[in-house]
Amino acid sequence: MLLLSFIALMFALIAQEARACIINITSVNFGSYDLFSSAALKSTGNIYMNCPIGVEYTIGLSAGSGTFEQREMSSGTHTLNYNLYTAANREFVWYDNTTSGATVSGSGTGSSVNHVAYGRIPPHQNVPAGSYSDTITVVITF
């Protein structure tokens, strides 16, 4: 059984206007990937938004190194396909704020609101062991 070591997505943040919001982000960490497993590897990350009451916002995610249809993590010249979704059923891919795909919206409550990024790596990808990563930019639109 070949297992891949630490796999994580790092989030960078770009906000158009701070609007006095506090934003905390935890990366999606997939852990070890077993290329012989028949099951997809799933994990989650979090985007915590703490905005004043009534501040409306939309959260978009960049495509990273791949496309919205198939994001890619890399280790040197090797790539591992994955994607990020807006809901636990992983039906809708999370897009950025400039395209017509799914995003996540919210409204400030005066306390921290968690928005979960649901990650999935498809099974049976024949990749060598390594530390695979990608950088996703989080775009907050107010």
Side-chain angles (χ1 to χ4, degrees):
M1 175 184 298
L2 175 64
L3 295 179
L4 301 174
S5 61
F6 181 74
I7 301 170
L9 300 176
M10 287 130 327
F11 289 113
L13 173 66
I14 295 177
Q16 291 179 337
E17 255 183 82
R19 297 279 179 151
C21 295
I22 298 169
I23 303 162
N24 290 308
I25 298 170
T26 60
S27 295
V28 178
N29 182 345
F30 287 101
S32 296
Y33 175 74
D34 180 356
L35 65 95
F36 297 108
S37 174
S38 295
L41 182 60
K42 298 176 182 178
S43 188
T44 59
N46 301 285
I47 302 168
Y48 297 95
M49 296 290 296
N50 186 341
C51 295
I53 294 172
V55 173
E56 304 284 327
Y57 57 84
T58 301
I59 303 170
L61 302 180
S62 72
S65 298
T67 66
F68 290 111
E69 289 75 30
Q70 192 59 74
R71 290 178 166 103
E72 295 178 344
M73 288 183 272
S74 61
S75 177
T77 60
H78 304 287
T79 59
L80 181 64
N81 296 328
Y82 77 98
N83 224 325
L84 298 170
Y85 302 87
T86 59
N89 65 4
R90 291 165 174 84
E91 183 177 353
F92 298 105
V93 172
W94 199 326
Y95 279 71
D96 65 9
N97 297 340
T98 63
T99 57
S100 61
T103 58
V104 172
S105 296
S107 181
T109 63
S111 60
S112 188
V113 176
N114 183 26
H115 301 281
V116 179
Y118 297 91
R120 179 182 180 275
I121 300 176
H124 302 299
Q125 296 184 60
N126 189 11
V127 294
S131 182
Y132 289 75
S133 65
D134 192 13
T135 299
I136 298 296
T137 302
V138 178
V139 180
I140 310 295
T141 305
F142 296 97

